[in-house]
């Protein structure tokens, strides 16, 4: 079985992560995430490591690197609970799905 692809969407005032793998025999309920989760998702798709993701999150929100690492860790642990596993986020996260993240920058 090939790896599932996941996309983030913004709809009805929420950010959603959905499986877009039609070959998956088991339905995955869409996951609602908050704005911080959406930013982390975007950075995970762009960065080469969790540390780089945390650094960008720290810069974006003006928080300590320790707090950013804790947020990234909590978010990725939550993804694993939903069965979203990874070795290299760049290969699992569809960059085109993050178009709506730009909305965050205009809040």
């Amino acid at each position: 079985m090939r790896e599932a692809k996941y996309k983030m969407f913004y709809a009805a005032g929420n950010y959603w992560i959905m499986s877009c793998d039609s070959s998956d025999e088991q339905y995955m309920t869409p996951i609602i995430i908050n704005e911080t989760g959406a930013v982390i998702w975007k950075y995970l798709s762009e960065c080469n490591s969790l540390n780089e993701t945390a650094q960008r999150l720290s810069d974006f929100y003006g928080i300590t690197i320790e707090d950013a690492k804790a947020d990234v860790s909590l978010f990725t642990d939550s993804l694993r609970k939903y069965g979203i596993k990874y070795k290299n986020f760049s290969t699992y996260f569809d960059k085109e799905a993050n178009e709506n993240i730009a909305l965050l920058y205009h809040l």
Side-chain angles (χ1 to χ4, degrees), residues 1-105:
M1 183 172 132
R2 65 190 171 101
E3 295 295 337
K5 292 281 187 175
Y6 302 94
K7 291 188 177 187
M8 180 180 64
F9 299 93
Y10 184 80
N14 291 301
Y15 291 92
W16 302 79
I17 296 174
M18 299 177 68
S19 173
C20 296
D21 187 354
S22 61
S23 70
D24 193 359
E25 295 176 13
Q26 188 174 22
Y27 173 76
M28 180 187 136
T29 302
I31 304 165
I32 298 175
I33 59 174
N34 63 18
E35 290 179 4
T36 302
V39 171
I40 294 171
W41 178 276
K42 177 184 185 309
Y43 291 160
L44 288 171
S45 71
E46 297 173 351
C47 297
N48 294 318
S49 71
L50 296 178
N51 284 334
E52 184 182 351
T53 299
Q55 184 60 58
R56 288 190 61 193
L57 188 69
S58 172
D59 294 344
F60 182 77
Y61 283 112
I63 60 176
T64 67
I65 190 67
E66 292 79 15
D67 286 344
K69 284 181 179 181
D71 288 346
V72 170
S73 179
L74 183 64
F75 184 75
T76 55
D77 287 348
S78 295
L79 291 179
R80 279 194 286 284
K81 289 178 186 174
Y82 285 100
I84 301 175
K85 298 179 177 140
Y86 57 90
K87 291 182 183 176
N88 178 346
F89 275 91
S90 298
T91 63
Y92 288 78
F93 294 84
D94 188 340
K95 292 179 183 181
E96 293 176 16
N98 294 306
E99 293 172 0
N100 290 317
I101 198 70
L103 295 172
L104 288 177
Y105 299 100

